[in-house]
């Protein structure tokens, strides 16, 4: 369905109907599949055709619909759906790396991503070099002739630093390295990571794709050769596949993702603009505001130059008080949800990091990340102003 626009593909791409002709995609809640004969079973283990399945850990019709639909939105040839966003990050990296390989990564990452790169990969003999993702000179200096892969979040969590996908991809490809991009903040609605040079794109489907706080999920996208030949063998043997029911929820999420994300982005821009006038806030970090230091890059890399989340800085002693005075905005640690969520990264998602590392990443005790949901923007502004006044 590549000839149709994204909003149409988000509703229809990848659909497979059973003999009953259902309107809503069927949930195939089965762990295995029946063969017509012993010879047919043998043949399927030799070679799986397009709509044939062996075992739910290897693939499932409902999961396949989700994979194909998201691949169509992303402009990727293929996808493999995973049990969570972190299963996708881990699978994307470990499936392609071996002892002795070298990886260059942006330093500004979600806490669990940092754990994989700082703790797990070195444990198995992979060397990892960290750079300031905003600084192309650091990427240029760190990428070596033997670099196997580079990894970054296109927009970092939670300080919203932006990596130049096209420029870093050009540097990586010059030495034959694969580019792995965690694109969760950009969302499939605004993403053009593959068109800009990324070889592999990773999403936590738990965020905007589900968008309603119902299920965990992740996905790895890339070329047919890479997904089928590198990612799929690793994932199906290590057991990180997505459940059919979660895949069905993600399919339902994709049907409305464009409407939700565009509404959330519009509200986030209005809320961020309103809060930028608040004298009690030391800073409002939002790529959609001209005050963001990388606003020009975001305008080139994303359309529009905006996100559904932003971060703000308050005095250290005021952060918890502000959070506790919120009424509509809930305190949690997800993002991209229909409900607006406030997160204090220093004490939750990035708690395990040493204070020096938090400081280097801009994760101060006063930093609050706000994920804007589908509530009325004026209600959110009033709720936040009420909490700000209390500090």
């Amino acid at each position: 369905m590549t000839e149709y626009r994204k909003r149409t593909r988000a509703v229809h791409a990848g659909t497979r109907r059973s003999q009953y002709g259902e309107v809503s995609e069927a949930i195939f809640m089965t762990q295995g599949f029946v063969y017509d004969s012993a010879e047919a079973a043998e043949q399927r283990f030799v070679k799986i055709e397009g709509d044939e399945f062996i075992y739910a850990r290897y693939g499932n019709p409902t999961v396949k619909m989700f994979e194909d639909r998201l691949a169509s939105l992303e402009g990727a040839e293929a996808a493999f759906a995973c049990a969570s966003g972190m299963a996708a990050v881990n699978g994307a990296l470990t499936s392609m790396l071996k002892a002795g390989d070298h990886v260059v990564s942006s330093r500004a990452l979600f806490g669990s991503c940092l754990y994989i790169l700082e703790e797990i990969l070195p444990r198995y003999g992979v060397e990892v070099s960290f750079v300031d993702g905003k600084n192309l000179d650091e990427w240029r200096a760190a990428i070596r002739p033997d670099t196997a892969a580079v990894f970054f979040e296109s927009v970092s969590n939670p300080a919203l630093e932006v990596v130049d996908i096209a420029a870093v991809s050009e540097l990586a490809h010059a030495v034959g390295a694969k580019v792995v991009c965690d694109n969760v903040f950009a969302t499939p609605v605004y993403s053009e990571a593959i068109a800009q040079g990324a070889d592999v794109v990773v999403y936590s489907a738990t965020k905007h794709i589900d968008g309603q706080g119902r299920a965990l999920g992740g996905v790895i996208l890339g070329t047919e050769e890479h997904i089928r030949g590198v990612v799929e063998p690793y994932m199906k043997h290590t057991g990180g596949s997505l459940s059919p029911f979660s895949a069905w929820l993600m399919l339902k999420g994709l049907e409305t993702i464009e409407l939700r994300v565009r509404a959330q982005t519009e509200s986030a821009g209005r809320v961020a603009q309103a809060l930028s006038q608040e004298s009690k806030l030391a800073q409002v970090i939002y790529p959609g505001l001209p005050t963001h230091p990388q606003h020009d890059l975001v305008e080139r890399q994303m359309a529009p130059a905006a996100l559904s989340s932003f971060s703000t800085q308050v005095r250290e002693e005021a952060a918890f008080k502000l959070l506790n005075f919120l009424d509509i905005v809930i305190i949690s640690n997800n993002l991209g949800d229909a409900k607006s969520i406030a997160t204090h990264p220093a004490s939750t998602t990035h708690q395990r990091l040493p204070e020096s590392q938090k400081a280097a990443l801009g994760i101060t005790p006063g930093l609050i990340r706000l994920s804007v949901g589908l509530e009325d923007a004026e209600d959110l502004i009033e709720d936040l102003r009420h909490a700000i006044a209390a500090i």
Side-chain angles (χ1 to χ4, degrees), residues 292-315:
H292 190 281
Q294 296 173 285
H295 183 69
D296 291 344
L297 171 60
V298 180
E299 284 194 319
R300 294 198 309 272
Q301 193 159 288
M302 293 172 61
L307 305 171
S308 65
S309 298
F310 66 93
S311 295
T312 185
Q313 293 272 10
V314 297
R315 300 188 316 275

Side-chain angles (χ1 to χ4, degrees), residues 44 62 81 112 115 136 151 191 205 227 230 254 256 274 287 325 375:
R44 197 169 297 183
T62 311
S112 295
Y115 182 82
L136 286 177
F151 177 76
S191 166
I227 297 299
V230 177
L254 285 177
T256 61
F325 267 92
E375 304 93 343

